[in-house]
Amino acid sequence: AVAKRKRDGAAARPKKRPKKAASASAPEPDAKPAPEEYSIPPPVSQGKWKNKERVLIFSSRGINFRTRHLMQDLRTLMPHSKADTKMDRKDQLFVINEVCEMKNCNKCIFFEAKKKQDLYMWLSNTPHGPSAKFLVQNIHTLAELKMTGNCLRGSRPLLSFDPTFDKEPHYALLKELFIQIFSTPQYHPKSQPFVDHVFTFTVTDERIWFRNYQIIEEDASLVEIGPRFVLNLIKIFQGSFGGPTLYENPHYQSPNMHRRLVRLSVAAKFREKQQVKEVQKSKKEGSKVLIKEDPTEVVFETPSEEKPVEIELVKPEPKAIVKDKKKPRKIQRKKQKKLFRTEA
């Protein structure tokens, strides 16, 4: 019975449906499509990802919460970025080149924290350079700003640069470095094929001001969405995280020097107040000048007669107490008034 079931089962299997003829499925060239049919549009991006730029964004140990949020915001805005664990402070900076090679990255943004209050940013083209070191000031993150704008995650940004970047050679080098790091490569797998926000780099007060704006309408009206920070250039090196110095900012003042000058100015103010108090005190003391005695002052003085000193050997008699004779009369009048009131 089992063998019969097997034989019958093999024969009882339904045959596959024959495919329809190609002529029946394909419409004739002259035939018009029905109004109910819809054609699927082709994909938006049909190109290949050729610009293989990858940026490694990480930091050293000892950063505060604001730096951590800024780093996370940059990773969100740059879909071509990668993350890594924090680097130990004792390690040398040239080790970052090996980390980038392991992560298959050719650009790097490294945040270095010192004294738990100063933040430095390294932008480097690994492993051959150049690299630039900045002091990061006035940091405001996306969550802190609470802006009304909101751009699409993974969309490509426009990069807007100040005209100063084309006038001086060190700014031109930084411009090329910013373009290669912050611009999202075309046809990147994680990017969206839209342009809806702008990164602006403005040079003011010998510093580079970074802002992020969203394009909200077709007339190119902008709304800031953050993050924002200011980069104070320190040095530009020929190599990656080191090497010969190509440019050194003469206007740069270290945070330690700035804090020292603040302390000196406070001490100078305190010292000035103390000097003013001493001058006022000396003026008050100097006004009390001793005048010499005038011999003519004694002319109109008449000496009083000296009375002989009398010594009483007997105790003086006590004074007699004089009683007030009018007092009993007053008491009697008050009693009479009370009686009169009660009778009335």
Side-chain angles (χ1 to χ4, degrees), residues 32-316:
K32 294 181 180 179
E36 296 181 357
E37 295 180 1
Y38 297 96
S39 59
I40 300 172
V44 180
S45 60
Q46 295 177 341
K48 290 185 178 181
W49 177 33
K50 296 180 181 179
N51 183 16
K52 301 294 180 73
E53 293 284 353
R54 298 181 183 89
V55 183
L56 180 64
I57 303 176
F58 71 119
S59 68
S60 65
R61 297 195 178 277
I63 61 172
N64 54 9
F65 72 98
R66 195 185 299 272
T67 308
R68 186 171 65 253
H69 286 202
L70 173 65
M71 193 165 55
Q72 190 62 38
D73 292 344
L74 290 178
R75 287 173 185 165
T76 306
L77 291 171
M78 300 164 64
H80 61 293
S81 64
K82 289 187 177 183
D84 195 21
T85 56
K86 295 178 182 177
M87 197 180 75
D88 197 359
R89 295 182 190 176
K90 297 178 182 178
D91 295 340
Q92 299 295 327
L93 290 177
F94 62 83
V95 180
I96 301 174
N97 295 326
E98 299 177 5
V99 177
C100 292
E101 187 178 356
M102 291 167 59
K103 288 284 184 178
N104 196 17
C105 295
N106 51 3
K107 298 290 185 297
C108 180
I109 300 178
F110 178 68
F111 292 95
E112 185 180 7
K114 289 185 179 180
K115 294 187 175 182
K116 295 185 179 180
Q117 54 185 342
D118 302 330
L119 179 65
Y120 298 91
M121 179 193 283
W122 286 84
L123 300 180
S124 176
N125 179 24
T126 58
H128 304 294
S131 59
K133 185 180 181 182
F134 301 91
L135 174 68
V136 188
Q137 299 171 330
N138 301 337
I139 300 173
H140 297 279
T141 59
L142 273 169
E144 183 183 1
L145 286 175
K146 296 180 181 177
M147 298 292 185
T148 56
N150 183 20
C151 64
L152 183 66
R153 185 187 179 96
S155 59
R156 300 181 62 212
L158 292 174
L159 299 185
S160 173
F161 290 93
D162 194 86
T164 315
F165 281 94
D166 298 326
K167 296 178 182 178
E168 299 185 19
H170 61 280
Y171 280 132
L173 178 61
L174 291 178
K175 178 181 178 180
E176 185 62 31
L177 198 60
F178 288 145
I179 289 173
Q180 294 184 15
I181 289 177
F182 288 96
S183 62
T184 303
Q186 194 174 11
Y187 306 122
H188 191 277
K190 293 183 180 179
S191 67
Q192 300 288 343
F194 304 103
V195 178
D196 61 351
H197 62 287
V198 184
F199 291 162
T200 61
F201 298 89
T202 312
V203 179
T204 308
D205 194 20
E206 305 297 335
R207 291 171 175 82
I208 300 172
W209 300 64
F210 175 85
R211 295 289 183 271
N212 181 21
Y213 297 95
Q214 181 197 359
I215 307 171
I216 55 174
E217 292 182 7
E218 294 181 357
D219 58 347
S221 56
L222 302 177
V223 172
E224 186 177 357
I225 57 177
R228 58 159 73 169
F229 51 87
V230 180
L231 299 176
N232 191 0
L233 178 63
I234 303 173
K235 285 183 180 181
I236 301 176
F237 300 97
Q238 185 176 350
S240 177
F241 297 98
T245 303
L246 298 179
Y247 176 78
E248 185 174 358
N249 188 8
H251 306 284
Y252 171 71
Q253 186 183 66
S254 65
N256 294 332
M257 181 61 68
H258 177 70
R259 286 190 286 268
R260 180 174 176 272
L261 293 177
V262 170
R263 287 195 301 269
L264 289 176
S265 64
V266 173
K269 287 182 181 179
F270 178 75
R271 202 178 300 113
E272 186 179 355
K273 287 182 180 179
Q274 292 297 111
Q275 289 176 357
V276 169
K277 287 182 180 179
E278 290 177 1
V279 170
Q280 291 176 352
K281 189 176 179 181
S282 63
K283 283 182 179 179
K284 288 180 181 179
E285 291 177 355
S287 61
K288 296 178 182 179
V289 181
L290 295 175
I291 303 172
K292 294 180 181 181
E293 293 182 0
D294 190 4
T296 59
E297 282 185 356
V298 199
V299 175
F300 299 101
E301 287 184 0
T302 54
S304 58
E305 295 179 359
E306 294 182 0
K307 295 181 179 180
V309 180
E310 294 181 359
I311 300 172
E312 294 183 357
L313 301 174
V314 184
K315 185 179 178 181

